[in-house]
Amino acid sequence: MVKVETTTADGSSLTASGKRPADQLLYGLICICAGFSVLLLAGIIAYVLVRGIGQVNWQFLTSVTSVLKGTVGIAGNIVNTVLIVVLTMLAAVPVSVGAAVYLNEYAKPGKLVTIIEFATETLSGIPSIIFGLFGMMFFGQTLGLGYSILTGSLTLMLMVMPLITRNTQEALKTVPDSYRHGAVGLGAGKWYTIRTILLPSAMPGIITGVILAVGRIVGESAALLFTAGSAKALPKTLAGLFPKIFQSGGTMTTQLYLSATSEGDFDTAFGIAVVLLVLVFLINLGTKVLAAKADPERK
């Protein structure tokens, strides 16, 4: 076997140039940056766990803070968070996926598509507190919904729609054109092709966008302070969940902010932070598991 050695323009060997001090220094700096990122994450998680893990117990998760009963809990905030996530996803997912399908499969390149994509990108960059101000004035006052979970959900719908739309659009772009041409060759209609071939093939990307949107909803506080309020009452029965949609309700993130600022209760704030960290971890884990199961190439 003949060994071929490639040389650079100055006559030095590429094999030898890979061991130059400059390359080794750059590689070392990259490793340091990566290690710093990992240590920073580990430090934040460790600090929050040390400060808040002692606060988390069964009573903390299943009761409501009450001076008369002497209890400290976030059960009402957990229920409010779940309600807001469910309502927001029910409103945002169909609209976002439909918009992505239109942009990628139906719309012809032109000014309309450019305007829609520009609007989507602009919406994704607007600060959340501006969404909260708009939601308070439009949904809360103009539509008469007031401070309620429904107002907060409609406001968050506007916030997460760009995220889901862009992820769905990019996922549809990754589907090979041969799938479309093959379906047309077999006589399948446009909608049938989208429903049975394109959307299932793009499902991993769609699921990723949806779960990332859920993570953003769970971590949002600024917009909800203007729209959903901060009430933490727990419904007495399952039938009371529907009326609660039209009432004020603070999420876990909102209660964390209020506990750390207005109330000065840092023990409760760090306890909520621990619960949120676990929830975010489960959301990211769920993203990987669901995306893997939905990927047709892995089945």
Side-chain angles (χ1 to χ4, degrees):
M1 178 179 291
V2 179
K3 183 178 179 181
V4 179
E5 184 176 4
T6 306
T7 58
T8 59
D10 57 359
S12 61
S13 173
L14 285 178
T15 305
S17 65
K19 300 179 180 179
R20 289 180 298 185
D23 293 337
Q24 293 179 351
L25 177 61
L26 181 60
Y27 178 76
L29 291 176
I30 293 173
C31 292
I32 292 174
C33 293
F36 177 76
S37 301
V38 175
L39 290 176
L40 181 61
L41 175 62
I44 293 175
I45 293 176
Y47 182 79
V48 173
L49 288 177
V50 170
R51 289 290 304 270
I53 194 65
Q55 185 71 18
V56 180
N57 51 45
W58 183 247
Q59 179 182 339
F60 184 74
L61 298 175
T62 59
S63 64
V64 180
T65 301
S66 173
V67 178
L68 297 178
K69 297 180 180 180
T71 58
V72 177
I74 58 171
N77 302 113
I78 294 175
V79 172
N80 294 336
T81 302
V82 173
L83 285 176
I84 286 181
V85 168
V86 172
L87 290 176
T88 304
M89 289 294 100
L90 288 176
V93 172
V95 177
S96 302
V97 174
V101 170
Y102 170 77
L103 291 173
N104 201 72
E105 303 299 329
Y106 287 99
K108 296 180 180 180
K111 291 184 178 180
L112 179 60
V113 174
T114 303
I115 292 174
I116 295 175
E117 292 181 345
F118 176 77
T120 303
E121 294 173 357
T122 303
L123 280 174
S124 62
I126 295 178
S128 60
I129 196 167
I130 296 180
F131 279 103
L133 182 62
F134 171 81
M136 179 184 67
M137 298 301 298
F138 182 72
F139 297 117
Q141 297 187 11
T142 304
L143 299 185
L145 297 177
Y147 283 95
S148 64
I149 291 177
L150 182 59
T151 302
S153 300
L154 293 175
T155 303
L156 292 181
M157 177 194 71
L158 301 179
M159 290 181 55
V160 301
M161 275 179 55
L163 176 61
I164 302 176
T165 300
R166 296 299 296 175
N167 274 273
T168 303
Q169 194 175 359
E170 294 301 322
L172 288 172
K173 289 180 180 179
T174 62
V175 179
D177 288 336
S178 58
Y179 289 14
R180 299 174 175 84
H181 298 158
V184 172
L186 293 174
K190 187 76 171 179
W191 171 241
Y192 184 84
T193 302
I194 293 172
R195 179 169 53 88
T196 61
I197 299 177
L198 300 185
L199 287 179
S201 299
M203 194 56 64
I206 297 174
I207 292 175
T208 300
V210 169
I211 299 183
L212 289 176
V214 172
R216 182 173 183 182
I217 294 170
V218 171
E220 182 56 45
S221 60
L224 293 177
L225 285 171
F226 284 91
T227 55
S230 59
K232 47 192 174 184
L234 186 65
K236 296 181 179 180
T237 61
L238 291 177
L241 289 176
F242 181 75
K244 189 170 179 58
I245 295 174
F246 304 95
Q247 301 172 3
S248 174
T251 62
M252 288 187 290
T253 312
T254 303
Q255 184 58 41
L256 187 154
Y257 170 77
L258 294 176
S259 297
T261 55
S262 301
E263 302 171 9
D265 186 1
F266 289 97
D267 291 335
T268 300
F270 276 102
I272 298 174
V274 171
V275 178
L276 286 173
L277 280 178
V278 173
L279 186 58
V280 170
F281 172 78
L282 293 177
I283 289 174
N284 283 276
L285 182 63
T287 301
K288 295 183 179 295
V289 172
L290 292 176
K293 289 184 177 181
D295 191 349
E297 296 182 357
R298 298 185 181 183
K299 294 182 179 179

